[in-house]
């Protein structure tokens, strides 16, 4: 049975690493929205786990997403990038459900990571290995 988890703060929350390593499925981790190079994080090599994928965010122009003074974290330790919106205009962001059955724009690496989780689930459904 495959399991999927989504978590934010990649490269900084080292207390959870032992649990991720023991986790019996795939762990998708949002890379963070501080505009930092995760390769500079002191414990980043600890996150090289076979069941962990880190996700950065891209805008509609296939560039790193920017939100005012913040942007998607980046670096060689970010495994993949996915659509994560940009700015504060709902039209430039990822649609998500909102109160009263409405929708609103959502951005960041947390908006990008569900795309990767969905694709990974589809791939694992075809080939669980």
């Amino acid at each position: 049975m495959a399991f999927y988890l989504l978590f934010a703060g990649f490269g900084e929350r080292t207390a959870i690493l032992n649990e991720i390593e023991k986790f019996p499925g795939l762990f998708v981790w949002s890379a963070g929205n501080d505009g930092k190079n995760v390769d500079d994080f002191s414990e980043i090599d600890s996150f090289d786990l076979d069941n962990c994928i880190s996700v950065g965010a891209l805008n509609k122009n296939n560039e790193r997403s920017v939100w005012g003074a913040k942007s998607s974290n980046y670096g060689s330790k970010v495994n993949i990038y996915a659509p994560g919106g940009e700015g504060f205009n709902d039209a430039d962001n990822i649609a998500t459900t909102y109160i009263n059955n409405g929708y609103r724009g959502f951005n960041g690496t947390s908006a990008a990571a569900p795309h990767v989780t969905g694709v990974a689930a589809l791939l694992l459904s075809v080939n669980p290995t």
Side-chain angles (χ1 to χ4, degrees):
M1 173 181 276
F3 299 92
Y4 315 95
L5 280 182
L6 176 65
F7 206 77
F10 176 76
E12 298 174 317
R13 297 193 182 173
T14 56
I16 197 170
L17 284 173
N18 288 336
E19 298 305 315
I20 295 171
E21 197 167 22
K22 292 187 290 186
F23 186 66
L26 180 63
F27 202 93
V28 178
W29 202 317
S30 299
N33 303 316
D34 300 313
K36 294 179 180 176
N37 183 341
V38 299
D39 298 341
D40 294 336
F41 294 169
S42 61
E43 299 290 330
I44 195 63
D45 289 335
S46 303
F47 287 86
D48 283 338
L49 303 173
D50 291 339
N51 65 333
C52 185
I53 298 174
S54 66
V55 181
L58 295 174
N59 64 20
K60 62 186 175 185
N61 298 317
N62 207 29
E63 300 165 335
R64 190 163 44 99
S65 294
V66 175
W67 313 278
K70 295 199 171 204
S71 65
S72 172
N73 285 352
Y74 61 94
S76 67
K77 299 292 183 174
V78 175
N79 300 117
I80 193 166
Y81 291 81
E86 182 170 62
F88 301 103
N89 180 352
D90 279 352
D92 293 328
N93 290 307
I94 307 303
T96 188
T97 54
Y98 196 56
I99 56 175
N100 297 323
N101 296 319
Y103 293 91
R104 71 176 189 153
F106 176 50
N107 60 32
T109 58
S110 292
H115 297 286
V116 173
T117 303
V119 171
L122 288 171
L123 289 170
L124 286 169
S125 74
V126 173
N127 183 352
T129 62

